[in-house]
Amino acid sequence: MRQVFKSGLLVLAFLVLSAEARSQEDPDRHDPDRQQLESLLENGEFAAVKSLAEEAGSAKEKNRILAALAKAQHRNGLSTQSISTLGRIGDDATRNRILHQMRDSGSAAGGGSGFGGSDLERGPNPGPGGRGGAAMADFDPLIELIQNTIDPQSWLDTNGGPGTINEFRSGVSVDAGGVLRKVEYTPKNSLLNEIRKEASRKSAHLEVFRESSLRKVSLNRLEKECQLLAAAGKDPSEAMERLAGIYEIKYLLVYPETNDIVIAGPAGDWKTDVEGVAVHVRTGRPLYRLDDLVVCLRNAVEFDGKFGCSIDPRQANLKATQQFVASSPLKGKRWREGLQSALGLQDISVDGIDPRSIVARVIVEADYRMKLVGMDLEKGVPGVESFLSRVQLDRNGNVPPTDVMRLEFVLDYDSLSVTDSRDAFQLHGQGVKVVSEKELLNQEGDRLQTGRSEGPAAEFARGFTKNFEAMARRYPIYAQLKNVFDLALVSNLIRGEGIDRSCDWNMTYFGPDREGEIRYRSRRGHIPREVKTVMNYREIDVRQNGRKVKTHLVVGISGGVSVDAGRFLRSKDALLKDTYGKLKLDRRTARPASENWWWD
């Protein structure tokens, strides 16, 4: 019944306003003269101004008209319509400038969320646009009235529902999941074809959960949509936060002709696992996160792709541990408690990224968990036996000297394929590698870096790298780490290859924070600055004076995560040409096919 009522009311509105519009057309309304534009804006003839923008002679002129229209709509309290107009501005720098001007000027409506006040509060004097005018009927007030009174939760522009509503040259077009549209006969049925295309795009938008072998996400368009939602006081949708369900980035594709920078890979429905992470339903692989993408883009701009974390023991604690092991008469439980007391805490540091970001939490947790496996405090998979279990007596039957091993995750891809025109890139390899360095520890607790890796530490690092995918299936934090590395690599490709410049992308919303600028705010949390030392011991039977006795081998691990995507991409073997042309073909078939920020 509600749908029937809505359809009937909208059809009535179509008929009344279409007749009014036809009777009031001005043959000179398409004249782009600035004086006429100002006159139309002053009289609230916003629909006529939109027509001027569509028939502008250049993209720059179109953006200028749309910018003036957005500000006028904002002044008259039409916040939803002003934001919609901003979305039609192709240049992100212009759009960002107008958003800031709107924010700084306030709103005639006053109060509310976002930059222009709430949709329900337009103030006592909405201005001349509220009644239409002499040149062409203005549908903005009617659209707002319909959205605020008829099933408000069903409208996409205001509340994220499936329904959309916008003006046509002779009326208002509505798409609310099957609600009737006004359709007129025109030569070659061009209007009907346009409606069909729009309906196809909207239905595709609702199918973000379906399986796709190659889903594409335009980063520029995604930024614009997020920025406009923020202007309306809204958060990104769940699909935006999950990058449309992509769980593996296979390609970075560049389309200068449409100014689109696209990531592409398999995608599908997702669920939340026991740790609150969104994972692909079928494979269990974690999805990429918008928050992580923004952190990596900002790092690429400011630090050339270099960031990481480190978990390191304190020298005083190392010295105390050495002394305790050498002289303590304690045994059993009391010995273990004394050892733990001597070990104390290790310090955590994060550099190159916001230490409160999700990325920081992921790299710190992945590093810590890897060290637990190395110390036999958490079980690995076959082929990833602990470092401690690999330690053997030397050829003379003696216990090796007490060491602190350094293990790190580093970014490491096999290569990237690239087309001759450098407008398509394909990622190859698992992206993550574990490396080790043996650090000798003297009696004063000083760590002496040797610059080499051998023996049990090297074996553990190789085993972990070789079986990384199996470890990621068992401990999803490692899969999240891999996602971070992928986003770091893609972000630095965009900056290092000048792709952002070739596509006129200024990152006005996803880029680094600047004073007075409005930027995307990533989720933040708290990671500890210190953690219990990752160290363990093992009892080994040795012979002293012909007798078999037990002794303790105590080993600790330091290290962290080290990402240097910029340096990796500058290496001579990082980029390999697409010899057979397959990547070029893949780029052509993935060309943007709609106005959405994602497509299949």
Side-chain angles (χ1 to χ4, degrees), residues 117-253:
S118 112
D119 292 332
L120 299 179
E121 297 178 340
R122 288 194 288 275
N125 181 17
R131 300 178 184 269
M136 196 172 186
D138 177 32
F139 300 109
D140 289 334
L142 174 64
I143 290 174
E144 271 203 340
L145 177 63
I146 291 172
Q147 290 178 327
N148 292 332
T149 57
I150 304 176
D151 198 6
Q153 297 303 315
S154 70
W155 300 107
L156 175 64
D157 291 340
T158 55
N159 290 298
T164 60
I165 181 169
N166 47 67
E167 72 280 0
F168 267 21
R169 292 181 184 272
S170 57
V172 178
S173 165
V174 179
D175 173 12
V179 175
L180 182 66
R181 295 171 177 270
K182 177 173 181 284
V183 180
E184 294 181 348
Y185 174 79
T186 57
K188 297 184 180 180
N189 230 4
S190 60
L191 179 59
L192 183 60
N193 288 332
E194 187 62 28
I195 292 174
R196 179 182 177 276
K197 291 178 182 178
E198 183 178 355
S200 175
R201 290 196 297 267
K202 298 304 180 184
S203 63
H205 181 74
L206 298 177
E207 295 180 9
V208 69
F209 301 109
R210 71 182 178 187
E211 291 296 311
S212 172
S213 60
L214 195 67
R215 179 155 296 163
K216 302 93 181 177
V217 171
S218 169
L219 302 184
N220 326 51
R221 300 185 193 182
L222 175 59
E223 180 190 53
K224 180 180 77 171
E225 295 299 324
C226 290
Q227 187 178 35
L228 295 177
L229 283 173
K234 300 175 185 177
D235 294 327
S237 67
E238 183 181 5
M240 293 174 178
E241 291 179 341
R242 308 304 182 196
L243 296 185
I246 293 180
Y247 59 87
E248 178 187 2
I249 295 178
K250 295 182 66 175
Y251 302 104
L252 174 66
L253 308 172

Side-chain angles (χ1 to χ4, degrees), residues 220 252-256 259-261 297 300-301 304 418 421-425 489-507 566 569-570 575:
N220 326 51
L252 174 66
L253 308 172
V254 188
Y255 300 95
N259 284 346
D260 282 298
I261 301 172
L297 284 172
V301 172
D304 193 28
V418 59
S421 52
R422 303 181 88 83
D423 55 12
F425 303 82
L489 186 68
V490 165
S491 297
N492 279 271
L493 271 172
I494 292 171
R495 288 293 293 178
E497 292 287 316
I499 294 171
D500 51 342
R501 295 188 296 275
S502 69
C503 290
D504 294 327
W505 188 27
N506 298 286
M507 299 187 196
L569 291 172
R570 288 190 293 271
L575 299 177

Side-chain angles (χ1 to χ4, degrees), residues 4 11 18 69 75 97-98 171 228 235 242 244 255 312 339 363 368 376 390 430 432 437 454 461 514 517 524 530 583:
V4 173
V11 169
S18 296
L69 174 58
R75 286 195 302 270
R97 175 171 54 82
I98 300 305
L228 295 177
D235 294 327
R242 308 304 182 196
Y255 300 95
D312 298 298
L339 175 64
I363 64 176
Y368 187 69
D376 206 18
R390 298 172 185 267
Q430 70 184 20
V432 183
E437 181 185 49
E454 58 186 17
R514 293 187 177 90
E517 297 285 324
R524 291 175 174 178
E530 52 190 19
L583 182 55

Side-chain angles (χ1 to χ4, degrees), residues 48 55 66 86 241 245 275 304 322 324 339 354 476 522 526 563 594:
E55 298 181 10
L66 290 174
L86 284 170
E241 291 179 341
E275 295 183 354
D304 193 28
Q322 292 284 72
F324 175 84
L339 175 64
D354 187 339
S522 300
H526 298 282
V563 178
S594 73

